[in-house]
Amino acid sequence: MTQNIKQIVEEALGVSSILEKPRDKRFGHFALPTFSFAKTLRQSPQAIAQEFAQKLESLPQIASVNVVNGYVNFSLSDMFLAQCAWKFLQQDSTSQASNVESQNAQEHILLEYVSANPTGPLHIGHARGAIFGDSLARIGRFLGFRIATEYYINDAGTQMENLGKSIYYAGRHLFFNAPYELPQDCYKGEYVLLLAEQAKDSLGLEVFENLSQIATLSCFGKDKMLEEIKANLAQVGIVFDNYVSEKELFTAWDSTLHALQAHNGVYEQEGKLWLKSSEYGDEKDRVIVRENGEPTYLAGDIIYHRDKFMRPFTHYINIWGADHHGYIARVKAAISFLGYDSNKLEVLLSQMVALLQGGEAYKMSKRAGNFILMKEIVEEVGADALRLIFLSKKADTHLEFDIEELKKQDASNPVYYINYAHARIHTLFAKSCFEILDFKNTKKEQYVESLKEMDENLRDLLVLSLGLDKVLLDAFVQRAPNKVVDFLKNLAGEFHRFYNETKILNTAKEEQILKVLIVVAKSLNLGLALLGVQAKESM
């Protein structure tokens, strides 16, 4: 609706406009500020507003217009609202195919997120970035953007060797009665002991006889952890389009290094090879090859980003943990030295999560060793509740929540509150003589005719419901799915208020009201779906 009326207004006025919501809804459904036109049109905002108002008054899509201090405020006609509502109801898919806008489809985005090292199960910090990335992809695809999702597997380097050692020493302890003493930087937790048990079953006891089997155990552990990570993600409805292995990409190290050298991006000093990252805003240059000739962790990321930029995408988005903030400059520097436009890389940061249970800090997982498992929280509160609460704030802000609050069946729990609104509408239809499908299949002329002369409260509810299109676009462009959560809470609240103040069934207005409420239900359903949440029809 919002994009539709914006286009109509712009065609009528011959200018590019910005539509806002008036602070006081009595002024109208939309406000058009005129201050930005004063310089080019050489008139005062008030005079411009009066001129614009006269042009808008003649539009059949607009019911009323008023001017206040340089703002053109206007309300939409019932006819236009009904037409938008009918069109919205005909849209039955959340897939890209039915919602492609040519302008959005021109942008092809590679979205990388999670990319946790395959050295252990996912924790709730990983979960926040995972849910954020998945929801961003869902919303973007709905809007017509072409988005590929990718998980970068850090399966090369020291962390893989440490995983192999961890499993080895766990096996020595379990099967050879050796003391359970782990070298520094090895991984702890019951999951390592489980990996040792699985390794014995698959590879035999001989894999624990000497340290020469570390590489074998590393590979085995990585594969098992990837299986678990994929299962953890599937629990919350996340499936990646593509997985990329750092180990496999390292075959391109020589050609990557040659590209850096060709653009004068590296130099040798103290027996090491350094990236000139300070030339692009990094606080200092970074080592990419150690004295022993081994590439560093950064080298792997440089290879990966070269691989990304060699593929036909127009934009690249990485979602990293907030602790990677200092890493952005060095990666962008490497991209520039590879000969690519680093402005095409956008890095979004996801803050960690503070988890409470009954007001107290949540206990760390024994299985994980030193962090809270994503799997455990999903099993306790459910995937839908976890997704919605993780999306309730912008990803780069601190998030603290109490899992006991998510179990409450009242208005304090946003998951319950939004779903209750959706379920209430379905309950109304179950008690009425009308069917939702009958209304959805109503001919356009009949549907529009039936929504004539709505009362103000019903009209406002319809306008709010049809504002989802603008919310989704803002949420994607601003990388803020929390805007969708805010919209859903607001819409649910307005519906509950309307429900409590209005007699609906067995009234003269029952059919009209229900035809609006199916639009409310569809907005709730679609908004939740694009956040990866299943709307409930009964509670």
Side-chain angles (χ1 to χ4, degrees):
M1 175 197 70
T2 309
Q3 296 305 309
N4 195 348
I5 193 62
K6 184 176 185 293
Q7 183 178 353
I8 290 169
V9 167
E10 288 179 344
E11 289 176 356
L13 301 180
V15 297
S16 179
S17 66
I18 296 175
L19 297 184
E20 301 177 354
K21 289 283 186 182
R23 290 185 178 180
D24 189 335
K25 67 179 183 179
R26 291 177 299 179
F27 288 149
H29 299 135
F30 290 98
L32 170 62
T34 62
F35 308 100
S36 62
F37 304 117
K39 186 175 181 179
T40 54
L41 297 180
R42 297 182 179 181
Q43 296 183 66
S44 70
Q46 187 71 10
I48 296 170
Q50 293 291 350
E51 181 183 334
F52 283 0
Q54 290 178 4
K55 293 180 179 179
L56 295 183
E57 283 175 343
S58 62
L59 296 177
Q61 295 88 353
I62 294 179
S64 62
V65 184
N66 65 83
V67 174
V68 179
N69 299 327
Y71 284 88
V72 183
N73 302 304
F74 60 91
S75 296
L76 303 175
S77 69
D78 287 354
M79 177 205 70
F80 176 70
L81 288 171
Q83 289 173 341
C84 291
W86 183 85
K87 183 179 179 181
F88 180 54
L89 292 175
Q90 308 316 302
Q91 178 186 291
D92 286 330
S93 174
T94 58
S95 68
Q96 176 184 355
S98 63
N99 301 289
V100 172
E101 295 181 17
S102 58
Q103 184 177 356
N104 293 348
Q106 292 173 9
E107 190 160 7
H108 195 187
I109 299 169
L110 179 60
L111 174 58
E112 180 222 333
Y113 57 101
V114 186
S115 297
N117 292 343
T119 55
L122 296 183
H123 57 64
I124 59 167
H126 297 135
R128 190 177 191 188
I131 290 167
F132 172 43
D134 181 64
S135 299
L136 199 63
R138 288 171 187 256
I139 295 168
R141 285 167 173 164
F142 177 79
L143 294 170
F145 293 92
R146 293 186 296 154
I147 300 175
T149 59
E150 189 161 278
Y151 188 116
Y152 176 49
I153 307 168
N154 294 113
D155 56 356
T158 305
Q159 75 273 10
M160 285 293 99
E161 183 180 356
N162 288 338
L163 177 62
K165 287 181 181 178
S166 304
I167 300 170
Y168 174 80
Y169 286 108
R172 296 290 299 174
H173 170 67
L174 289 173
F175 313 124
F176 295 90
N177 296 319
Y180 195 23
E181 297 177 358
L182 292 174
Q184 189 176 3
D185 296 327
C186 281
Y187 302 101
K188 302 175 182 178
E190 291 181 0
Y191 81 93
V192 180
L193 298 170
L194 177 60
L195 285 173
E197 292 274 8
Q198 293 172 331
K200 182 199 74 170
D201 294 341
S202 297
L203 305 173
L205 272 176
E206 58 269 24
V207 79
F208 298 103
E209 289 179 354
N210 57 69
L211 289 169
S212 66
Q213 298 296 318
I214 294 297
T216 300
L217 288 169
S218 296
C219 186
F220 177 85
K222 177 206 73 173
D223 290 343
K224 287 295 181 183
M225 282 297 94
L226 270 179
E227 288 177 14
E228 170 135 357
I229 286 170
K230 290 178 181 180
N232 292 166
L233 293 169
Q235 276 187 305
V236 291
I238 299 174
V239 178
F240 281 87
D241 296 323
N242 194 30
Y243 286 82
V244 174
S245 163
E246 177 186 10
K247 188 175 182 180
E248 292 177 8
L249 286 179
F250 251 105
T251 57
W253 172 235
D254 289 343
S255 59
T256 302
L257 182 55
H258 178 74
L260 291 172
Q261 291 168 334
H263 292 91
N264 196 30
V266 295
Y267 63 93
E268 288 189 37
Q269 185 176 301
E270 301 172 351
K272 306 171 187 174
L273 194 64
W274 299 73
L275 177 74
K276 297 180 180 178
S277 53
S278 61
E279 292 187 10
Y280 284 92
D282 195 6
E283 60 185 5
K284 63 181 180 179
D285 293 340
R286 305 291 173 173
V287 177
I288 58 173
V289 179
R290 303 180 181 92
E291 299 98 319
N292 61 4
E294 289 294 317
T296 63
Y297 187 89
L298 176 58
D301 280 338
I302 294 173
I303 299 169
Y304 175 45
H305 282 82
R306 177 172 178 250
D307 179 79
K308 281 185 177 184
F309 275 75
M310 289 173 68
R311 288 182 265 164
F313 293 96
T314 58
H315 193 64
Y316 306 84
I317 300 175
N318 294 353
I319 297 177
W320 291 345
D323 57 337
H324 282 64
H325 180 271
Y327 208 70
I328 299 173
R330 67 195 75 166
V331 169
K332 286 205 166 196
I335 292 169
S336 297
F337 283 126
L338 288 168
Y340 298 107
D341 180 3
S342 65
N343 291 320
K344 290 184 177 181
L345 175 65
E346 177 184 359
V347 179
L348 307 174
L349 298 177
S350 175
Q351 285 283 356
M352 288 294 288
V353 178
L355 185 61
L356 305 175
Q357 185 167 32
E360 302 292 332
Y362 193 90
K363 292 182 179 179
M364 296 293 181
S365 168
K366 289 183 179 179
R367 181 161 183 252
N370 60 352
F371 50 78
I372 301 167
L373 284 180
M374 168 182 167
K375 179 181 178 181
E376 290 180 351
I377 306 306
V378 172
E379 290 173 350
E380 185 146 9
V381 302
D384 288 351
L386 188 69
R387 288 190 70 114
L388 206 59
I389 200 66
F390 272 18
L391 295 168
S392 63
K393 286 189 176 182
K394 249 196 133 176
D396 61 358
T397 60
H398 179 72
L399 175 65
E400 179 180 276
F401 72 97
D402 193 317
I403 64 171
E404 296 304 323
E405 296 296 315
L406 295 182
K407 297 177 183 178
K408 291 183 178 180
Q409 303 294 295
D410 58 34
S412 67
N413 180 355
V415 184
Y416 176 87
Y417 192 61
I418 295 167
N419 265 310
Y420 188 38
H422 187 261
R424 251 183 171 176
I425 294 171
H426 280 267
T427 300
L428 282 170
F429 272 93
K431 293 179 179 180
S432 77
C433 61
F434 298 103
E435 296 285 341
I436 291 179
L437 284 178
D438 290 341
F439 283 169
K440 286 184 177 179
N441 295 330
T442 301
K443 290 184 178 180
K444 182 178 180 179
E445 296 77 13
Q446 294 175 336
Y447 187 87
V448 171
E449 181 68 22
S450 66
L451 293 192
K452 280 184 176 180
E453 299 179 3
M454 288 181 283
D455 69 35
E456 184 179 357
N457 289 332
L458 188 62
R459 186 182 298 110
D460 287 346
L461 191 59
L462 182 57
V463 171
L464 180 59
S465 302
L466 292 173
L468 177 61
D469 63 338
K470 176 67 163 52
V471 172
L472 291 174
L473 184 59
D474 287 347
F476 183 75
V477 170
Q478 298 173 32
R479 314 304 192 219
N482 58 292
K483 288 182 174 292
V484 183
V485 180
D486 292 340
F487 168 84
L488 293 172
K489 289 194 291 188
N490 186 29
L491 180 56
E494 289 302 307
F495 164 74
H496 287 309
R497 183 184 62 79
F498 179 86
Y499 178 91
N500 292 328
E501 295 176 355
T502 310
K503 181 172 173 54
I504 298 171
L505 300 180
N506 302 314
T507 66
K509 292 282 190 178
E510 177 180 349
E511 180 178 357
Q512 184 186 67
I513 293 173
L514 291 177
K515 282 185 174 178
V516 170
L517 294 189
I518 59 170
V519 178
V520 177
K522 185 171 178 63
S523 287
L524 292 170
N525 191 313
L526 178 57
L528 287 172
L530 294 177
L531 298 179
V533 176
Q534 177 69 49
K536 298 183 185 301
E537 295 186 0
S538 62
M539 294 179 69

